[in-house]
Amino acid sequence: MIKCLVIDDEPLARSIVVEYLQRYTDIEVVQECGDGFAGVKAIMQHQPDLIFLDIQMPKINGFEMLELVEQAPGVIFTTAFDEYALKAFETNAVDYLLKPFSQERFDAAVKKWLEKQSISSSENKATGLSEVPAKQPEEQLRIVVKAANDIRIIPVKDVLYLEAYDDYIKVHTPDGLFLKKKTMNYYERVLDPKQFVRVHRSYLIPLAQLTRIEPLEKDAHVALLKNGIRVPLSRSGYTKLRAVLGI
């Protein structure tokens, strides 16, 4: 039996997907979820093979939800907004259903997923969400992280600085340190360049936290932040920071 989740904040939209799935006797809807938080918990609990996922939802959107999942199942997006199509396919989505969609269009998406499973068992799970330059408004305003069994939304105004850490980013905040599986290049593209400056290959700082720039030996400099942390500046980072500050 194929386990399936339906994640959408609109009850009517969920009921349509469930209705369309009734003709598939080998697909079982193990849970319906009304937001991304519930979706993450349901994926961890049920380990589904396939999910039907809305993008625009309260609390966290569908893309942010997938970032919190260690190994994502097959994903068929269901949304009323066509502007997310490119990013959806760049996250290895099976298909992108634009609401309202017909039973025939729905069947085509399910068939595509079933055919993908038959080609190779290694494709049973959609993994490796790509780093894409497309910006969503909420991604410029917050960072969503998973801490133990909790999901936290960190407003970017609360970020003290970002630090590269192997395949993760350390998000330093007044409430502590959180890890996010992203790259420094990603946040350099997504965050507002007028507010955040990459001053070193391993550091990205918010200008609101900067108090002064201090010289070190020779041509080296450090940025002193409000919390007393000294962040090293590379030569290019120093030049970039001065340009943004207009000095």
Side-chain angles (χ1 to χ4, degrees):
M1 184 66 71
I2 297 169
K3 293 187 293 183
C4 167
L5 292 177
V6 182
I7 306 171
D8 196 311
D9 63 309
E10 299 177 2
L12 178 59
R14 295 199 304 270
S15 67
I16 290 174
V17 172
V18 172
E19 178 184 344
Y20 285 171
L21 283 170
Q22 288 181 356
R23 65 171 56 182
Y24 298 93
T25 57
D26 56 344
I27 298 180
E28 177 189 7
V29 178
V30 294
Q31 188 173 336
E32 297 179 37
C33 305
D35 61 67
F37 285 176
V40 172
K41 294 179 181 178
I43 290 174
M44 294 173 61
Q45 177 183 353
H46 297 290
Q47 296 295 303
D49 304 291
L50 176 65
I51 63 174
F52 292 87
L53 178 63
D54 189 16
I55 294 176
Q56 287 283 33
M57 296 185 291
K59 300 180 181 178
I60 59 175
N61 66 38
F63 295 127
E64 292 172 320
M65 193 209 80
L66 289 177
E67 290 178 8
L68 301 173
V69 179
E70 291 293 329
Q71 191 174 32
V75 180
I76 296 177
F77 283 104
T78 60
T79 179
F81 303 93
D82 59 1
E83 63 263 33
Y84 300 119
L86 177 60
K87 183 171 182 178
F89 285 115
E90 287 179 325
T91 61
N92 293 331
V94 176
D95 210 338
Y96 187 93
L97 299 179
L98 190 61
K99 300 174 182 176
F101 46 84
S102 65
Q103 175 81 62
E104 289 72 24
R105 180 66 184 89
F106 181 87
D107 291 342
V110 175
K111 180 181 178 182
K112 184 185 297 186
W113 181 76
L114 292 171
E115 289 175 346
K116 187 176 181 181
Q117 306 316 296
S118 65
I119 292 173
S120 172
S121 60
S122 65
E123 295 182 357
N124 280 344
K125 300 290 183 180
T127 60
L129 297 177
S130 60
E131 298 280 347
V132 295
K135 298 180 182 179
Q136 308 305 323
E138 53 267 39
E139 291 175 303
Q140 294 180 280
L141 300 175
R142 68 195 191 195
I143 298 176
V144 181
V145 298
K146 186 167 67 172
N149 294 323
D150 296 328
I151 298 172
R152 297 196 55 162
I153 298 177
I154 303 171
V156 295
K157 65 180 180 62
D158 293 340
V159 173
L160 301 178
Y161 63 99
L162 301 179
E163 179 184 2
Y165 181 68
D166 292 333
D167 295 332
Y168 291 82
I169 293 294
K170 290 181 178 179
V171 184
H172 295 268
T173 76
D175 294 330
L177 170 67
F178 302 92
L179 290 178
K180 178 74 172 180
K181 195 171 179 61
K182 282 291 185 183
T183 66
M184 194 63 74
N185 287 338
Y186 174 83
Y187 282 116
E188 186 177 18
R189 290 194 302 263
V190 169
L191 296 175
D192 186 349
K194 296 179 181 178
Q195 299 181 33
F196 283 81
V197 180
R198 188 171 183 179
V199 296
H200 187 277
R201 62 180 297 180
S202 298
Y203 292 94
L204 191 68
I205 66 171
L207 293 180
Q209 293 296 325
L210 178 66
T211 59
R212 63 177 182 268
I213 300 173
E214 296 182 340
L216 293 178
E217 58 185 27
K218 296 184 180 180
D219 295 328
H221 295 81
V222 295
L224 180 64
L225 305 185
K226 290 180 179 179
N227 62 352
I229 294 294
R230 285 176 166 79
V231 175
L233 305 180
S234 65
R235 289 188 178 182
S236 62
Y238 175 62
T239 301
K240 188 187 303 182
L241 186 57
R242 289 191 59 178
V244 173
L245 294 172
I247 58 176

